[in-house]
Amino acid sequence: MPLLGCIADDFTGATDLASMLVRNGMTAVQTIGVPDGKLPKADAVVVALKSRTIPAEEAVAQSLAACDALLAAGAKQILFKYCSTFDSTDAGNIGPVAEALLRRLQSGFAIACPAFPANGRSVFQGHLFVGAALLSESGMQDHPLTPMTDPNLVRVLARQCQGSVGLIPFAVVEAGEAAIRREMTRLSEAGRRLAIADAVTDGHLVALGAACAGHALITGGSGIAMGLPENFRRAGLLPARENAGALPEVQGACAVVAGSCSRATLGQVGLARDHVPTLELDALATPDADALAGQAASWMDGKLSGERPVVIAASAPPERVAALQARLGRDAAGALVEETLARVAEALVERGVRRLVVAGGETSGAVVQRLGVRSLRIGGEIDPGVPWCWTEAAGGMRLALKSGNFGARDFFLKAFSHG
């Protein structure tokens, strides 16, 4: 039975979280959607949902179904994982899902901490920073689906919740586990059911994790999972493991498909363009999935190998994304890109690709569903938060599902030399 049951609101976030757990000594399996049968054997099971941008009531229903499946399998603690940039709208879905899980678990309090210092995400006095910039000045204000214009997470979360939201400030977190426990008790007794927790170092995340050892629910980014394996080791439930992320070997051609429009992914596509065959699909000029996928299929023939990747991207800068949304509508524009790249990925696999990087949470969700992926065994990291995974789909292949904002500029070039 799993020790830790996790619910992630998108597919790349799920692999990011599972990677953090593997790095800290837990075996981890990611399921695609709510499992309907026996769960794979692992210390941690991460249920990957595509619930970040759907209506809040649907996100709540899916998250509760995932929670019930994990509890039925014996999970001793539930972690609700969302993006380290707190992607959401004023209607949700972070607040509604967190409050629903608290009710289902009959728990009175949970922290909310999206910090991930290794990837430049820190929370100070309740404000989220991306590197040295406030969230609202980081490029996330231009996100096509969940524009983040307010860096004050207490304020953001309060707009989504029925109850009031507290803050565990830097001075308390810096003082360590005991001080955090006292502050959580004080906030709970004052009627707060959720509280944003400051964290600017890995040590802060470890202290927060330790302080939450007895909590039924924890919410946050993947960083908050950093200290959780040690809680289970201290309780004598988790053995020491030499290589929790070992994966089967895979041979075959390699490729990248990118749908994210984040600054990080645009930079990665730009660098790849100078080094490997790269096709940039223009959805604004050709707003038709059949035509775009056909263009990609014709282009890729004769270019695939196991030596170097090809890159096929539908990423675009904010002004072109805005123009496409104005032409088709926001949802239709997103669906066009997702459908196109899902077809592209299917064509790549049909032509022998067995190592595939997918950039973008929504794109990753569309691709794994198209390929019929049901679960992923999590391996070692390429860059912080982005591991290689193994799936039985297509006779066995490796996938790396990359959050749009994650990875160094040379990620697409170096990924295939790892693992």
Side-chain angles (χ1 to χ4, degrees):
M1 63 179 65
L3 297 171
L4 182 65
C6 308
I7 304 162
D9 68 357
D10 83 339
F11 289 7
T12 58
T15 54
D16 169 20
L17 169 60
S19 177
M20 176 65 71
L21 296 169
V22 167
R23 188 196 313 167
N24 286 279
M26 296 184 93
T27 58
V29 168
Q30 172 180 335
T31 69
I32 306 304
V34 179
D36 56 5
K38 187 176 181 181
L39 292 178
K41 291 180 65 175
D43 301 323
V45 173
V46 183
V47 177
L49 303 177
K50 202 165 180 282
S51 60
R52 181 171 299 169
T53 58
I54 64 177
E57 61 272 17
E58 294 179 26
V60 167
Q62 291 183 22
S63 300
L64 290 177
C67 180
D68 289 344
L70 292 166
L71 293 175
K76 299 182 179 301
Q77 187 174 57
I78 299 296
L79 171 58
F80 169 40
K81 194 275 178 193
Y82 37 79
C83 187
S84 61
T85 47
F86 215 69
D87 291 20
S88 52
T89 68
D90 286 351
N93 291 341
I94 295 173
V97 170
E99 288 189 317
L101 290 171
L102 280 170
R103 290 191 293 270
R104 179 59 55 91
L105 295 167
Q106 298 182 330
S107 180
F109 178 85
I111 66 166
C113 183
F116 193 172
N119 275 334
R121 282 38 165 191
S122 57
V123 182
F124 180 72
Q125 298 301 95
H127 289 68
L128 181 55
F129 289 80
V130 178
L134 284 166
L135 176 67
S136 54
E137 301 169 4
S138 67
M140 283 301 297
Q141 72 271 22
D142 298 319
H143 193 286
L145 298 178
T146 52
M148 299 302 294
T149 59
D150 188 351
N152 185 323
L153 300 191
V154 176
R155 203 158 51 206
V156 170
L157 190 56
R159 289 196 293 265
Q160 302 176 14
C161 290
Q162 296 177 356
S164 57
V165 176
L167 172 67
I168 304 174
F170 175 84
V172 171
V173 178
E174 178 75 1
E177 177 183 347
I180 295 169
R181 287 183 185 276
R182 289 193 297 270
E183 184 64 9
M184 290 192 299
T185 299
R186 187 190 72 79
L187 288 167
S188 179
E189 290 176 347
R192 306 291 193 271
R193 300 202 71 195
L194 291 164
I196 298 295
D198 280 358
V200 300
T201 69
D202 287 354
H204 293 153
L205 292 171
V206 171
L208 285 164
C212 293
H215 288 209
L217 176 68
I218 303 172
T219 88
S222 60
I224 199 61
M226 191 175 299
L228 302 186
E230 186 58 31
N231 292 342
F232 293 114
R233 279 190 286 269
R234 282 199 300 264
L237 300 173
L238 179 66
R241 301 193 187 280
E242 290 295 325
N243 187 3
L247 296 178
E249 291 295 328
V250 172
Q251 301 296 321
C254 49
V256 176
V257 294
S260 169
C261 298
S262 70
R263 289 179 182 176
T265 297
L266 290 172
Q268 290 156 355
V269 172
L271 183 63
R273 188 188 306 125
D274 297 330
H275 294 86
V276 298
T278 300
L279 173 66
E280 294 180 73
L281 298 170
D282 190 343
L284 183 59
T286 310
D288 181 271
D290 287 335
L292 290 168
Q295 178 186 346
S298 297
W299 176 88
M300 70 179 68
D301 284 339
K303 295 184 174 68
L304 302 178
S305 76
E307 301 302 320
R308 64 174 184 171
V310 299
V311 176
I312 301 176
S315 305
E319 62 273 13
R320 292 193 68 79
V321 173
L324 183 64
Q325 290 180 333
R327 182 173 178 179
L328 302 180
R330 189 191 74 170
D331 292 343
L336 169 64
V337 172
E338 291 172 32
E339 175 65 16
T340 296
L341 291 178
R343 294 188 191 186
V344 168
E346 184 177 46
L348 287 166
V349 171
E350 288 173 350
R351 288 162 172 79
V353 167
R354 292 297 180 268
R355 292 174 292 160
L356 179 65
V357 170
V358 186
E362 299 302 313
T363 304
S364 293
V367 167
V368 298
Q369 288 175 341
R370 187 78 176 205
L371 297 180
V373 176
R374 301 296 301 274
S375 67
L376 295 165
R377 175 70 58 176
I378 309 302
E381 288 181 313
I382 303 165
D383 272 340
V386 193
W388 275 116
C389 309
W390 184 85
T391 174
E392 293 180 348
M397 63 179 294
R398 289 198 183 190
L399 287 171
L401 308 178
K402 186 189 84 68
S403 174
N405 289 295
F406 281 12
R409 189 173 173 84
D410 63 347
F411 183 88
F412 294 159
L413 304 178
K414 71 181 180 183
F416 302 96
S417 64
H418 284 65

